[in-house]
Coordinates of all heavy atoms in Angstrom, one line a residue:
K14 N 47.7 -56.3 23.7 CA 48.9 -57.0 23.1 C 50.2 -56.2 23.5 O 51.3 -56.8 23.6 CB 48.8 -57.1 21.6 CG 47.7 -58.1 21.2 CD 47.5 -58.2 19.7 CE 48.7 -58.9 19.0 NZ 48.4 -59.1 17.6
Y15 N 50.1 -54.9 23.5 CA 51.3 -54.0 23.7 C 51.0 -53.0 24.8 O 50.9 -51.8 24.5 CB 51.7 -53.3 22.4 CG 51.9 -54.2 21.2 CD1 50.9 -54.3 20.2 CD2 53.0 -55.1 21.1 CE1 51.0 -55.1 19.1 CE2 53.1 -55.9 20.0 CZ 52.1 -55.9 19.0 OH 52.3 -56.7 17.9
P16 N 50.8 -53.4 26.1 CA 50.4 -52.5 27.1 C 51.4 -51.4 27.4 O 51.1 -50.4 28.0 CB 50.3 -53.4 28.3 CG 51.1 -54.6 28.0 CD 51.0 -54.8 26.6
Q17 N 52.7 -51.6 27.0 CA 53.7 -50.6 27.3 C 53.9 -49.6 26.1 O 54.7 -48.7 26.2 CB 55.1 -51.3 27.6 CG 55.0 -52.3 28.7 CD 54.5 -51.7 30.0 OE1 54.9 -50.6 30.3 NE2 53.7 -52.4 30.7
L18 N 53.3 -49.8 25.0 CA 53.5 -49.0 23.8 C 52.3 -48.1 23.6 O 51.1 -48.4 23.9 CB 53.7 -49.9 22.6 CG 54.9 -50.7 22.6 CD1 55.0 -51.6 21.3 CD2 56.2 -49.9 22.7
E19 N 52.5 -46.9 23.0 CA 51.5 -46.0 22.7 C 50.8 -46.5 21.4 O 51.4 -46.9 20.4 CB 52.0 -44.6 22.4 CG 52.4 -43.9 23.7 CD 51.3 -43.7 24.6 OE1 50.2 -43.3 24.1 OE2 51.4 -43.9 25.9
P20 N 49.4 -46.5 21.4 CA 48.7 -46.8 20.1 C 49.2 -45.9 19.0 O 49.6 -44.8 19.2 CB 47.3 -46.6 20.5 CG 47.2 -46.7 22.0 CD 48.5 -46.2 22.5
Y21 N 48.9 -46.4 17.8 CA 49.2 -45.6 16.5 C 50.7 -45.4 16.4 O 51.2 -44.5 15.6 CB 48.5 -44.3 16.5 CG 47.0 -44.4 16.7 CD1 46.4 -44.1 17.9 CD2 46.2 -44.9 15.6 CE1 45.0 -44.3 18.1 CE2 44.9 -45.0 15.8 CZ 44.3 -44.7 17.0 OH 42.9 -44.9 17.2
M22 N 51.5 -46.2 17.1 CA 53.0 -46.1 16.9 C 53.5 -47.4 16.3 O 53.0 -47.8 15.3 CB 53.6 -45.8 18.3 CG 53.1 -44.5 19.0 SD 53.7 -43.0 18.1 CE 55.4 -43.0 18.6
E23 N 54.4 -48.1 17.0 CA 55.0 -49.3 16.5 C 53.9 -50.4 16.3 O 53.0 -50.4 17.1 CB 56.1 -49.8 17.4 CG 56.8 -51.0 16.9 CD 57.9 -51.4 17.8 OE1 58.1 -50.7 18.9 OE2 58.6 -52.4 17.5
H24 N 53.9 -51.1 15.3 CA 53.0 -52.2 15.0 C 51.6 -51.7 14.5 O 50.7 -52.5 14.3 CB 52.8 -53.2 16.2 CG 54.0 -53.7 16.8 ND1 54.9 -54.5 16.1 CD2 54.5 -53.4 18.0 CE1 55.9 -54.8 16.9 NE2 55.7 -54.2 18.1
A25 N 51.4 -50.4 14.4 CA 50.1 -49.9 14.2 C 49.4 -50.4 12.9 O 48.3 -50.8 12.9 CB 50.1 -48.3 14.2
T26 N 50.2 -50.4 11.8 CA 49.6 -50.8 10.5 C 49.1 -52.2 10.5 O 48.0 -52.5 10.1 CB 50.6 -50.6 9.4 OG1 51.0 -49.2 9.3 CG2 50.0 -51.0 8.0
E27 N 50.0 -53.1 11.0 CA 49.6 -54.5 11.0 C 48.5 -54.8 11.9 O 47.6 -55.6 11.7 CB 50.8 -55.4 11.3 CG 51.4 -55.1 12.7 CD 52.7 -55.8 12.9 OE1 53.8 -55.3 12.4 OE2 52.8 -56.8 13.7
E28 N 48.5 -54.1 13.0 CA 47.4 -54.3 14.0 C 46.0 -53.7 13.5 O 45.0 -54.2 13.9 CB 47.7 -53.6 15.3 CG 48.9 -54.3 16.0 CD 48.7 -55.7 16.3 OE1 47.5 -56.1 16.6 OE2 49.7 -56.5 16.2
Y29 N 46.1 -52.7 12.6 CA 44.9 -52.1 12.1 C 44.2 -53.2 11.2 O 43.0 -53.4 11.3 CB 45.2 -50.9 11.3 CG 44.0 -50.3 10.6 CD1 43.2 -49.4 11.3 CD2 43.6 -50.6 9.3 CE1 42.0 -48.8 10.8 CE2 42.4 -50.1 8.8 CZ 41.7 -49.2 9.5 OH 40.5 -48.7 8.9
Y30 N 45.0 -53.9 10.3 CA 44.4 -54.9 9.5 C 43.8 -56.0 10.3 O 42.8 -56.6 10.0 CB 45.4 -55.4 8.5 CG 45.7 -54.4 7.4 CD1 47.0 -53.8 7.3 CD2 44.7 -54.0 6.5 CE1 47.2 -52.9 6.3 CE2 45.0 -53.1 5.5 CZ 46.2 -52.5 5.4 OH 46.5 -51.6 4.4
E31 N 44.5 -56.4 11.4 CA 44.0 -57.4 12.3 C 42.7 -56.9 12.9 O 41.7 -57.7 13.0 CB 45.0 -57.8 13.4 CG 44.5 -58.8 14.3 CD 45.6 -59.3 15.3 OE1 45.7 -58.7 16.4 OE2 46.3 -60.2 15.0
A32 N 42.7 -55.7 13.3 CA 41.4 -55.1 13.9 C 40.3 -55.2 13.0 O 39.1 -55.5 13.4 CB 41.7 -53.7 14.4
E33 N 40.5 -55.0 11.7 CA 39.4 -55.0 10.7 C 38.9 -56.4 10.6 O 37.7 -56.6 10.5 CB 39.9 -54.5 9.4 CG 38.8 -54.4 8.4 CD 39.1 -53.4 7.2 OE1 40.3 -53.4 6.9 OE2 38.2 -52.8 6.7
Q34 N 39.8 -57.4 10.6 CA 39.3 -58.8 10.6 C 38.6 -59.2 11.8 O 37.6 -59.9 11.8 CB 40.5 -59.7 10.3 CG 41.1 -59.6 8.9 CD 42.1 -60.7 8.6 OE1 42.1 -61.8 9.2 NE2 42.9 -60.5 7.6
L35 N 39.1 -58.7 13.0 CA 38.4 -59.0 14.2 C 37.0 -58.4 14.3 O 36.1 -59.0 14.9 CB 39.3 -58.5 15.4 CG 40.5 -59.3 15.7 CD1 41.4 -58.6 16.7 CD2 40.2 -60.7 16.2
C36 N 36.8 -57.2 13.7 CA 35.5 -56.6 13.7 C 34.5 -57.6 13.0 O 33.4 -57.7 13.5 CB 35.5 -55.3 12.9 SG 36.2 -53.9 13.8
A37 N 34.9 -58.2 11.9 CA 34.1 -59.2 11.2 C 33.8 -60.4 12.1 O 32.7 -60.9 12.2 CB 34.7 -59.5 9.9
V38 N 34.9 -61.0 12.6 CA 34.8 -62.2 13.3 C 34.0 -62.1 14.6 O 33.1 -62.9 14.9 CB 36.3 -62.7 13.7 CG1 36.2 -63.9 14.7 CG2 37.0 -63.2 12.4
L39 N 34.3 -61.0 15.4 CA 33.5 -60.9 16.7 C 32.0 -60.6 16.4 O 31.2 -61.1 17.2 CB 34.1 -59.7 17.4 CG 35.6 -59.9 17.9 CD1 36.1 -58.7 18.6 CD2 35.7 -61.1 18.8
A40 N 31.7 -59.9 15.3 CA 30.3 -59.6 15.0 C 29.7 -60.9 14.5 O 28.5 -61.2 14.9 CB 30.2 -58.5 13.9
W41 N 30.4 -61.7 13.7 CA 29.8 -62.9 13.2 C 29.5 -63.9 14.4 O 28.5 -64.6 14.3 CB 30.7 -63.6 12.2 CG 30.0 -64.8 11.6 CD1 29.1 -64.8 10.5 CD2 30.0 -66.1 12.0 NE1 28.6 -66.0 10.3 CE2 29.2 -66.9 11.2 CE3 30.7 -66.8 13.0 CZ2 29.0 -68.3 11.3 CZ3 30.5 -68.2 13.2 CH2 29.7 -68.9 12.3
E42 N 30.4 -64.0 15.3 CA 30.2 -64.9 16.5 C 28.8 -64.6 17.2 O 28.3 -65.5 17.8 CB 31.3 -64.8 17.5 CG 32.5 -65.6 17.1 CD 33.5 -65.8 18.3 OE1 33.8 -64.7 18.9 OE2 33.9 -66.9 18.5
K43 N 28.4 -63.4 17.2 CA 27.2 -63.0 17.9 C 25.9 -63.5 17.1 O 24.8 -63.6 17.7 CB 27.1 -61.5 18.1 CG 28.1 -60.9 19.1 CD 27.9 -61.5 20.4 CE 28.9 -60.9 21.4 NZ 28.8 -61.5 22.8
L44 N 26.1 -63.7 15.8 CA 25.0 -64.1 14.9 C 25.0 -65.5 14.4 O 24.0 -66.2 14.2 CB 24.9 -63.1 13.8 CG 24.4 -61.7 14.2 CD1 25.1 -60.6 13.3 CD2 22.9 -61.6 14.2
R45 N 26.2 -65.9 14.0 CA 26.4 -67.3 13.4 C 25.5 -67.6 12.3 O 24.9 -68.7 12.2 CB 26.3 -68.3 14.5 CG 27.4 -68.2 15.6 CD 27.4 -69.3 16.6 NE 27.5 -70.6 16.1 CZ 27.6 -71.7 16.8 NH1 27.7 -71.6 18.1 NH2 27.7 -72.9 16.3
S46 N 25.4 -66.7 11.3 CA 24.5 -66.9 10.2 C 25.4 -67.2 8.9 O 26.3 -66.5 8.6 CB 23.7 -65.6 9.9 OG 22.8 -65.4 11.0
I47 N 25.0 -68.2 8.2 CA 25.6 -68.6 7.0 C 24.6 -68.7 5.9 O 23.5 -69.4 6.0 CB 26.3 -70.0 7.1 CG1 27.4 -70.0 8.2 CG2 27.0 -70.4 5.8 CD1 28.0 -71.3 8.5
Y48 N 24.9 -68.1 4.7 CA 23.9 -68.1 3.6 C 24.5 -68.8 2.4 O 25.7 -68.7 2.1 CB 23.6 -66.6 3.3 CG 22.9 -65.9 4.4 CD1 23.7 -65.2 5.3 CD2 21.6 -66.0 4.6 CE1 23.1 -64.5 6.4 CE2 21.0 -65.3 5.7 CZ 21.8 -64.6 6.6 OH 21.2 -63.9 7.6
H49 N 23.7 -69.5 1.7 CA 24.1 -70.2 0.5 C 23.4 -69.6 -0.7 O 22.2 -69.4 -0.7 CB 23.6 -71.7 0.6 CG 24.3 -72.5 1.6 ND1 25.2 -73.5 1.3 CD2 24.3 -72.4 3.0 CE1 25.7 -74.0 2.4 NE2 25.1 -73.4 3.4
V50 N 24.2 -69.2 -1.7 CA 23.6 -68.6 -2.9 C 23.8 -69.6 -4.0 O 25.0 -69.9 -4.4 CB 24.3 -67.3 -3.2 CG1 23.8 -66.7 -4.6 CG2 24.0 -66.3 -2.1
E51 N 22.7 -70.2 -4.5 CA 22.8 -71.3 -5.5 C 23.2 -70.7 -6.9 O 23.9 -71.4 -7.7 CB 21.5 -72.0 -5.6 CG 21.1 -72.7 -4.3 CD 22.1 -73.8 -3.9 OE1 22.6 -74.5 -4.7 OE2 22.3 -73.9 -2.7
K52 N 22.9 -69.5 -7.2 CA 23.2 -68.9 -8.5 C 24.7 -68.9 -8.7 O 25.5 -68.5 -7.8 CB 22.6 -67.5 -8.6 CG 22.8 -66.9 -9.9 CD 22.1 -65.5 -10.0 CE 22.3 -64.8 -11.3 NZ 21.6 -63.5 -11.3
T53 N 25.2 -69.2 -9.9 CA 26.6 -69.2 -10.1 C 27.0 -68.3 -11.3 O 28.2 -68.1 -11.6 CB 27.2 -70.6 -10.4 OG1 26.5 -71.2 -11.5 CG2 27.0 -71.4 -9.1
Q54 N 26.1 -67.8 -12.1 CA 26.4 -66.9 -13.2 C 26.0 -65.5 -12.9 O 24.9 -65.2 -12.4 CB 25.6 -67.4 -14.5 CG 25.9 -68.8 -14.9 CD 27.3 -69.0 -15.3 OE1 27.9 -68.1 -16.0 NE2 27.9 -70.1 -14.8

């Protein structure tokens, strides 16, 4: 996204949170598992 900028500098905080979500999304794409839990209490 920012080839001219040094990592951990500008945009670092917002990009870290995006990276955390991407870790979940990219891993889920490899498995595509969905679980239903009927219990509600």
Side-chain angles (χ1 to χ4, degrees):
K14 294 176 71 173
Y15 308 105
Q17 304 304 317
L18 297 178
E19 286 298 319
Y21 305 102
M22 301 291 284
E23 189 179 357
H24 309 293
T26 300
E27 61 192 75
E28 294 303 324
Y29 179 86
Y30 287 114
E31 180 174 89
E33 187 160 33
Q34 292 191 17
L35 286 169
C36 284
V38 168
L39 296 178
W41 186 86
E42 276 196 311
K43 293 297 183 185
L44 289 149
R45 293 182 59 170
S46 295
I47 303 176
Y48 300 92
H49 294 248
V50 175
E51 299 298 323
K52 183 178 177 180
T53 57
Q54 300 299 317

